[in-house]
Amino acid sequence: MTPFDYVRAGSMREAVELRSRSPNAAFLAGGTTLIDLMKGGVEKPSLLVDIRRVPDLDYIKVSSGKASLGALTKNSDLATDPALMKAAPMLTQAIAAGASPQIRNMATLGGNLLQRTRCPYFRNQAFACNKRSPGSGCAALTGYDRGHAVLEGSSQCVATHPSDLAVALVALGGEIQAEHISGQRNIPLSEFFRPPGETPWIETSLQRGALIVFVETDLPPEARRSVYLKVRDRASYEFALASAAVGLHQDGSRIIGARIALGGIATRPLRFATAEASLIGRTADEAAFRDAAAIALGEARPGRENGFKVELAKRTLVKALKLASELQQ
Ligand code: SF4
């Protein structure tokens, strides 16, 4: 591990000021991704700013139409919060589907959103990777791409985003509030995750050195009748091959509102507004769900070994919608 300095921040302002002193500094919260990457030499911060004792960043507030979630709230607390479970099951199910109980006890909301890809080439310095080393190339484009993206990949990167929670948050919508040395800024969740394009190492719209303070997620009528369904190679402690966060608002069997986001198949968590719109006014049945899935995956461009993900994602979405339609509103 590359040597680094360590400092503990006592407030949000102190945290961003400390981080602004070094261009290569990083915030330390749960550390469940960062420390692994530091041990592997992938991340080499010169300064760690420990934010774990910054007050007022660990809370869950659920009100009508919104939920405010502090950035230092543990994933284990989010996954088991009774009010959140009732208001937006897709959110708590997504968190519970991620990692292991031990990791969820350490990992935080802010860190979950900023976790790095699980592309094996990113974590292995023997291979070219534009995310790890800008301009070095992308080994996945000519290598083993079974776990990689079938949507939104670029000629520079085809890595998938690893977070389950982010898929549910993108489905629900809302915004992220961040503290920066120059002040506070709100970033819509729909604009937070960036497609790779020519700069895959820039993964979010967060300003360099900014600290996520809280996420304010919308709780539309579709949130109560919602599901997160994750398909993976083994039943626990594994990342998604395909996942779906869906919510339905129905008048009897007629759909009057829908939310759809998919994970595991694209370079960022993606919401599918056209597929959602295709469901409005239709009876909640398999034919409608299949049509929505065909629309959602219509632009898929698989690589050599991940073509199965297209059908897998469609089936995951259809199953998730079916499960949501069977819930009491
Ligand atoms: Fe790196 Fe992205 Fe290519 Fe993986 S897919 S090797 S993360 S550039």
Side-chain angles (χ1 to χ4, degrees):
M1 191 185 280
T2 306
F4 59 90
D5 291 324
Y6 169 90
V7 63
R8 179 175 282 156
S11 70
M12 262 187 295
R13 189 82 314 240
E14 186 186 15
V16 293
E17 283 174 4
L18 285 167
R19 186 164 168 184
S20 72
R21 289 182 196 163
S22 169
N24 198 25
F27 292 125
L28 174 68
T32 54
T33 295
L34 179 63
I35 302 301
D36 272 358
L37 293 175
M38 288 171 66
K39 285 178 180 171
V42 175
E43 298 266 14
K44 297 171 186 168
S46 54
L47 170 67
L48 282 188
V49 180
D50 188 336
I51 58 171
R52 287 176 291 183
R53 295 198 190 167
V54 172
D56 305 325
L57 293 180
D58 179 358
Y59 59 85
I60 300 168
K61 294 176 191 163
V62 180
S63 57
S64 111
K66 298 274 180 199
S68 187
L69 313 171
L72 284 184
T73 310
K74 296 280 195 308
N75 284 0
S76 49
D77 293 335
L78 289 164
T80 54
D81 184 78
L84 207 53
M85 274 182 177
K86 189 170 175 203
M90 68 157 84
L91 204 52
T92 53
Q93 289 168 12
I95 300 161
S100 65
Q102 293 88 345
I103 290 174
R104 291 196 293 275
N105 280 336
M106 291 290 292
T108 63
L109 169 65
N112 187 304
L113 298 179
L114 297 175
Q115 65 184 294
R116 309 297 303 277
T117 181
R118 307 305 294 197
C119 172
Y121 302 113
F122 172 70
R123 286 161 191 261
N124 187 334
Q125 298 191 66
F127 293 92
C129 173
N130 285 322
K131 260 194 202 296
R132 188 186 66 246
S133 179
S136 64
C138 171
L141 291 174
T142 53
Y144 185 59
D145 64 357
R146 179 178 181 269
H148 288 74
V150 298
L151 280 167
E152 281 212 335
S154 76
S155 62
Q156 304 299 310
C157 180
V158 288
T160 52
H161 194 276
S163 171
D164 296 294
L165 167 62
V167 183
L169 287 174
V170 165
L172 292 169
E175 61 185 23
I176 289 173
Q177 188 177 74
E179 176 93 8
H180 187 258
I181 191 74
S182 60
Q184 292 200 334
R185 184 179 161 218
N186 292 342
I187 308 169
L189 274 161
S190 58
E191 297 170 16
F192 185 73
F193 298 103
R194 291 169 51 122
E198 297 298 306
T199 55
W201 53 92
I202 304 174
E203 296 170 349
T204 71
S205 303
L206 202 62
Q207 280 173 286
R208 192 170 182 80
L211 176 71
I212 295 178
V213 179
F214 64 83
V215 176
E216 187 169 77
T217 180
D218 296 336
L219 295 174
E222 296 85 359
R224 289 177 74 88
R225 192 178 207 157
S226 69
V227 165
Y228 183 75
L229 183 63
K230 177 176 180 179
V231 178
R232 45 193 160 172
D233 280 328
R234 59 184 179 196
S236 73
Y237 197 32
E238 184 56 280
F239 294 87
L241 289 168
S243 68
V246 306
L248 291 174
H249 186 209
Q250 293 181 204
D251 181 4
S253 61
R254 196 170 67 90
I255 299 168
I256 55 176
R259 295 292 173 113
I260 295 174
L262 296 176
I265 56 155
T267 51
R268 56 180 174 160
L270 278 187
R271 187 171 164 194
F272 294 85
T274 310
E276 291 173 359
S278 78
L279 290 171
I280 307 302
R282 294 196 59 178
T283 300
D285 59 17
E286 182 145 343
F289 301 155
R290 282 183 183 276
D291 288 346
I295 292 168
L297 275 297
E299 303 289 316
R301 297 284 176 272
R304 288 173 310 285
E305 293 166 271
N306 60 359
F308 74 98
K309 278 192 167 190
V310 179
E311 184 59 28
L312 184 66
K314 285 181 186 173
R315 292 185 189 194
T316 305
L317 176 53
V318 170
K319 177 85 183 287
L321 286 165
K322 188 164 182 295
L323 289 171
S325 73
E326 291 166 356
L327 295 172
Q328 295 296 317
Q329 194 154 326

